[in-house]
């Protein structure tokens, strides 16, 4: 079947579309919409959105449970085995004085290599809020907007199911910067694209691809 994300005016929800099972004895190539029979009963109370997928593993949020940062709690879900695991809330990104930055999580999973999976959190830029920092100090947002992105040295948060915790992962940029912080904000969209191939995670970060 197909898992399809629908973007509504106030919420986004994932629906599952598939041929009805043979047990229902329906004739013709009918399609069942909105079914969630690949989930075990009572596994997740009111899950709403598939955030990412990788080699049969789904990363979903559970809008019935929220972390201290106000974001829905994440779960790694295997529809084939109907097993799930709670992913602890991701620590905040260490990017100072950056206005309106959010985080998006992506899966890295290859069952042929290991039964464990990893989740990486990437920054996502939206329109800046040119306002006071709240500390009484003047913040030069124009300088921040013109700073290069990604920086020469970059730190991401990564979660491993082997350890059960988030850890900082440091990366060094190869080549020149893709642009500036202001450039990133011009490419805001709801599309989420990532591919995990041969041990490398490729993520579409608004106007460039990060590996």
């Amino acid at each position: 079947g197909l898992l399809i994300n629908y973007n509504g005016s106030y919420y986004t929800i994932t629906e599952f579309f598939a041929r009805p099972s043979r047990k229902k004895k329906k004739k013709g190539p009918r399609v069942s919409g909105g079914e969630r029979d690949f989930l075990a009963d009572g596994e997740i109370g009111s899950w709403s959105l598939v955030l990412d997928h990788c080699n049969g593993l789904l990363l979903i949020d559970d809008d019935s449970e929220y972390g201290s940062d106000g974001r829905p709690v994440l779960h790694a879900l295997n529809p084939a085995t109907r097993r799930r695991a709670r992913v602890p809330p991701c620590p905040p990104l260490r990017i100072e004085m950056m206005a309106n930055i959010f985080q998006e999580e992506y899966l890295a999973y290859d069952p042929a290599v290991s039964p464990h999976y990893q989740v990486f959190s990437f920054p996502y830029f939206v329109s800046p809020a040119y306002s006071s920092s709240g500390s009484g100090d003047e913040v030069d947002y124009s300088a921040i907007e013109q700073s290069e992105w990604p920086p020469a040295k970059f730190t991401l948060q990564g979660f491993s199911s082997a350890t059960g915790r988030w850890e900082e992962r440091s990366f060094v940029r190869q080549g020149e910067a893709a642009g500036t912080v202001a450039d990133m904000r011009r490419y805001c969209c709801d599309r989420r694209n990532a591919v995990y191939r041969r041990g490398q995670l490729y993520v579409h970060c608004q106007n460039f691809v990060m590996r």
Side-chain angles (χ1 to χ4, degrees), residues 21-95:
S21 63
R22 295 182 178 180
K23 296 180 181 180
K24 297 180 180 180
K25 297 182 180 180
K26 292 183 179 180
K27 297 181 180 179
R30 299 179 181 178
V31 176
S32 296
E35 292 193 357
R36 299 171 182 174
D37 53 6
F38 63 93
L39 292 172
D41 292 339
E43 279 293 302
I44 295 178
S46 58
W47 72 277
S48 61
L49 181 64
V50 174
L51 299 177
D52 194 26
H53 62 90
C54 186
N55 290 323
L57 193 66
L58 304 180
L59 183 66
I60 67 174
D61 70 17
D62 180 7
D63 61 3
S64 65
E65 183 181 0
Y66 290 84
S68 58
D69 59 353
R71 304 178 66 202
V73 172
L74 304 182
H75 290 82
L77 170 68
N78 189 327
T81 62
R82 296 192 177 188
R83 296 181 62 183
R84 70 178 176 93
R86 186 178 185 272
V87 179
C90 177
L93 294 171
R94 290 192 176 185
I95 304 176

Side-chain angles (χ1 to χ4, degrees), residues 147-158:
S147 59
E148 63 180 20
W149 192 265
K153 294 183 179 180
F154 193 35
T155 300
L156 293 176
Q157 294 285 353

Side-chain angles (χ1 to χ4, degrees), residues 191-210:
R191 296 177 60 183
R192 298 173 53 95
N193 298 290
V195 175
Y196 184 63
R197 179 176 173 81
R198 296 181 180 178
Q200 304 284 344
L201 178 63
Y202 300 84
V203 178
H204 176 212
C205 295
Q206 295 180 258
N207 69 333
F208 72 102
V209 175
M210 182 180 291

Side-chain angles (χ1 to χ4, degrees), residues 87-201:
V87 179
C90 177
L93 294 171
R94 290 192 176 185
I95 304 176
E96 298 179 354
M97 295 191 305
M98 293 283 191
N100 287 20
I101 287 187
F102 296 90
Q103 299 181 77
E104 290 190 334
E105 287 75 26
Y106 295 88
L107 274 171
Y109 172 64
D110 187 352
V113 176
S114 171
H116 294 287
Y117 61 89
Q118 298 181 75
V119 180
F120 286 92
S121 181
F122 287 78
Y124 182 83
F125 295 83
V126 296
S127 298
Y130 294 100
S131 59
S132 172
S133 62
S135 61
D137 299 330
E138 292 297 328
V139 178
D140 186 1
Y141 284 107
S142 61
I144 296 174
E145 295 298 296
Q146 295 306 313
S147 59
E148 63 180 20
W149 192 265
K153 294 183 179 180
F154 193 35
T155 300
L156 293 176
Q157 294 285 353
F159 172 82
S160 172
S161 63
T163 63
R165 63 176 181 268
W166 290 88
E167 296 178 345
E168 289 187 348
R169 308 284 182 88
S170 297
F171 298 87
V172 177
R173 188 185 71 212
Q174 295 181 355
E176 301 297 325
T180 65
V181 171
D183 292 332
M184 293 290 289
R185 300 193 197 277
R186 297 192 185 102
Y187 289 86
C188 295
C189 64
D190 293 329
R191 296 177 60 183
R192 298 173 53 95
N193 298 290
V195 175
Y196 184 63
R197 179 176 173 81
R198 296 181 180 178
Q200 304 284 344
L201 178 63

